[in-house]
Amino acid sequence: MEDKNMENNSQMNNSQAGVCEPIRVLHVFGRVGLGGAESRIMDLYRNIDRDKIQFDFLVHYSAKKTGKMAPTSDELLAVREPDFYDEAIRELGGNIYVLPRFEGKNFFAYKKAISNFFSENRGKWQVVHGHMTSTAALYLPVARKKGGAAVTIAHSRNAGTEPGLKGIATKILRLPLKRLGTADHYFTCSEKAGRAVFGDKLFDQGYVRTIPNAIDVKKFAYDADIRNKIRAELGVSEDEIVIGHVGRFDYQKNHEYLIRIFDQVLKLAKEKMPDRKLLLIMLGQGSLMDTVKAQVNDLGIQDRVRFLGLKGNSSDYYRAMDYFLFPSFFEGLPGTVVEAQAAGLKCLISDTITTEVDITELVSRMDIRKDPSEWAGKILEDLAHLPDRQAETPRFEQELADAGFDAQTQAKAISYFYEHGSFKD
């Protein structure tokens, strides 16, 4: 590994010799919406020295509107709908490029589009950082060979796949990532995610580097004025209990189970705290939102559940919450749980999630095979002993920072890597 780092370091220094332009890093994503991985990179982007390092983004979009199998980036940009972070990326000095979305049947057209893209942009990026691991084994070798990238990175962000054919296809496409040479470096947000994508052998031999999903910790600090403002907008009284969840509406997040838990919470609360109202607020969008809304209506609890969609000021909504619920089937390392801890919220999460997210005493976990009533019982117990968030938040902030989850600290470490091809251990 040291020889590889020295080789990459030399290549990066040579590419920068006599040049005053910043090192450009290309981040590869499916899209730049308000997702966890995208938000973590944007937190880093805002905190790096952009005179030294600049980010560009390569995203994916359906080729159907172009009428071509392997359209160019410009052709896709012309038909692509703007995404959440587009404006912020351009304001910070970044560019957005587009590849056709991989759909299996367009395997060869996708490979052709990758080859054309990196050939046409050869030498533009010293580092190509791939967060989309499903096709990383296709685009990273080409980024180095055709694009001239000195360093390529495969970054595991998740510890599981969806059930069915899509999940099987993803596992097959990721197989080359389990051996050396597909990428120069292998990053992961947690041990579970690293082993799931890169395999036990590479992980145990020390080739996989864990990079905490760092957040802008102070952005989530408890603020009573903001809490009151958001709760007023929601029509929530001060003595009403707000349970919160943040996550896209898809299989992984296990919303069907979450709603059943909340339904049981409402039933138990009638017995144990009849004078208190409870409300569930959920931030996010996704393909299963309508299904979850139908479930809420079927249970007759629609007046106690709010679907708030995507919120660019999600930190303000954490402040309005009193408790955080997150029963996912699988995760890499959920940044939302880190954010909830920064906001001083007690969190109840599934025991399938890596323990690396248990940074403070605020996190409890339960088995998602248990009856929802058992989760509900635990929630009511916790609600009777909530922390003094005004007093305790500074301590939680410090614990997160000490564990490497502060974006300012992480930005310095990753910047050094981008400049030198190795970490300053």
Side-chain angles (χ1 to χ4, degrees):
M1 286 294 286
E2 193 63 37
D3 290 341
K4 174 64 74 175
N5 287 339
M6 291 175 65
E7 175 188 341
N8 289 336
N9 188 10
S10 173
Q11 290 177 343
M12 292 177 78
N13 288 339
N14 290 340
S15 70
Q16 291 298 300
V19 179
C20 295
E21 293 294 316
I23 292 171
R24 297 204 78 90
V25 179
L26 183 67
H27 290 279
V28 185
F29 282 102
R31 49 177 296 200
V32 283
L34 194 58
E38 300 95 313
S39 297
R40 301 292 74 80
I41 291 300
M42 291 303 295
D43 282 340
L44 293 177
Y45 197 7
R46 295 183 188 99
N47 282 281
I48 62 171
D49 183 345
R50 293 185 296 278
D51 289 331
K52 293 182 178 180
I53 298 168
Q54 262 295 344
F55 289 176
D56 292 325
F57 293 79
L58 178 59
V59 299
H60 293 69
Y61 194 76
S62 174
K64 290 178 182 177
K65 289 183 180 180
T66 68
K68 298 181 178 181
M69 289 293 291
T72 66
S73 175
D74 287 342
E75 289 170 334
L76 284 164
L77 272 172
V79 299
R80 170 182 172 268
E81 296 176 7
D83 219 332
F84 185 85
Y85 281 120
D86 281 18
E87 184 178 351
I89 288 168
R90 293 187 174 113
E91 286 178 354
L92 292 169
N95 302 299
I96 298 170
Y97 303 87
V98 193
L99 282 175
R101 182 181 298 142
F102 181 74
E103 297 172 344
K105 61 185 178 182
N106 67 338
F107 180 85
F108 294 104
Y110 182 74
K111 288 188 69 174
K112 180 181 178 182
I114 293 169
S115 180
N116 290 343
F117 175 79
F118 282 108
S119 296
E120 291 165 6
N121 291 283
R122 184 173 180 82
K124 186 170 288 186
W125 300 287
Q126 289 83 359
V127 181
V128 176
H129 192 151
H131 306 269
M132 183 177 164
T133 55
S134 57
T135 57
L138 300 178
Y139 63 76
L140 288 179
V142 177
R144 188 173 183 87
K145 183 177 180 181
K146 297 277 183 85
V151 172
T152 59
I153 305 161
H155 197 146
S156 175
R157 296 283 187 176
N158 222 326
T161 57
E162 293 184 19
L165 291 175
K166 184 177 180 181
I168 294 171
T170 297
K171 289 178 180 178
I172 293 171
L173 287 165
R174 284 175 174 171
L175 284 175
L177 296 176
K178 296 182 186 292
R179 61 174 182 263
L180 289 177
T182 305
D184 297 310
H185 294 270
Y186 301 83
F187 291 176
T188 184
C189 61
S190 69
E191 179 177 345
K192 272 193 173 183
R195 291 185 183 278
V197 175
F198 304 128
D200 293 335
K201 183 177 180 180
L202 287 189
F203 195 93
D204 290 337
Q205 290 179 347
Y207 288 104
V208 182
R209 176 95 182 198
T210 300
I211 309 292
N213 275 347
I215 66 169
D216 188 345
V217 172
K218 293 191 178 300
K219 179 180 175 182
F220 294 85
Y222 182 78
D223 186 309
D225 291 337
I226 295 176
R227 171 185 170 85
N228 293 335
K229 175 178 177 290
I230 296 297
R231 289 172 75 98
E233 291 174 0
L234 294 171
V236 176
S237 63
E238 182 52 38
D239 64 346
E240 194 164 349
I241 297 169
V242 176
I243 296 174
H245 173 84
V246 180
R248 67 187 181 280
F249 284 81
D250 67 9
Y251 167 81
Q252 174 185 344
K253 303 300 181 183
N254 201 11
H255 285 98
E256 187 272 338
Y257 187 66
L258 185 152
I259 295 300
R260 288 198 288 135
I261 292 170
F262 184 67
D263 183 49
Q264 290 297 312
V265 169
L266 292 174
K267 291 175 180 176
L268 281 177
K270 284 182 179 179
E271 302 172 12
K272 297 190 176 183
M273 48 176 69
D275 57 338
R276 301 292 297 275
K277 283 187 176 181
L278 289 98
L279 179 72
L280 172 66
I281 64 172
M282 294 191 286
L283 278 66
Q285 289 182 342
S287 60
L288 294 182
M289 180 182 277
D290 288 343
T291 302
V292 179
K293 285 183 177 180
Q295 180 189 5
V296 168
N297 290 334
D298 288 344
L299 289 169
I301 57 173
Q302 59 269 25
D303 62 328
R304 296 289 88 206
V305 180
R306 303 278 184 85
F307 294 84
L308 302 182
L310 296 176
K311 296 291 182 182
N313 62 333
S314 63
S315 57
D316 293 346
Y317 287 85
Y318 282 104
R319 293 176 174 121
M321 298 173 192
D322 298 297
Y323 197 86
F324 193 74
L325 181 58
F326 203 75
S328 294
F329 283 115
F330 58 85
E331 293 285 341
L333 191 147
T336 52
V337 178
V338 180
E339 292 169 348
Q341 290 174 81
L345 291 169
K346 276 199 172 185
C347 309
L348 183 57
I349 69 175
S350 55
D351 64 0
T352 58
I353 298 173
T354 175
T355 56
E356 291 163 82
V357 79
D358 300 8
I359 308 155
T360 69
E361 66 196 36
L362 294 167
V363 180
S364 299
R365 48 183 61 235
M366 288 191 74
D367 189 335
I368 53 176
R369 294 172 297 182
K370 287 183 177 295
D371 190 88
S373 62
E374 295 190 47
W375 282 64
K378 170 62 176 169
I379 291 170
L380 290 186
E381 287 178 19
D382 287 347
L383 290 175
H385 304 91
L386 294 177
D388 181 343
R389 291 165 70 187
Q390 189 76 58
E392 295 288 342
T393 294
R395 177 167 66 87
F396 299 138
E397 285 181 14
Q398 191 58 54
E399 289 176 9
L400 290 166
D402 291 345
F405 285 87
D406 177 60
Q408 291 184 0
T409 303
Q410 193 59 245
K412 292 177 183 177
I414 200 69
S415 294
Y416 186 91
F417 174 84
Y418 287 148
E419 290 184 84
H420 301 278
S422 61
F423 282 95
K424 192 176 184 179
D425 288 325

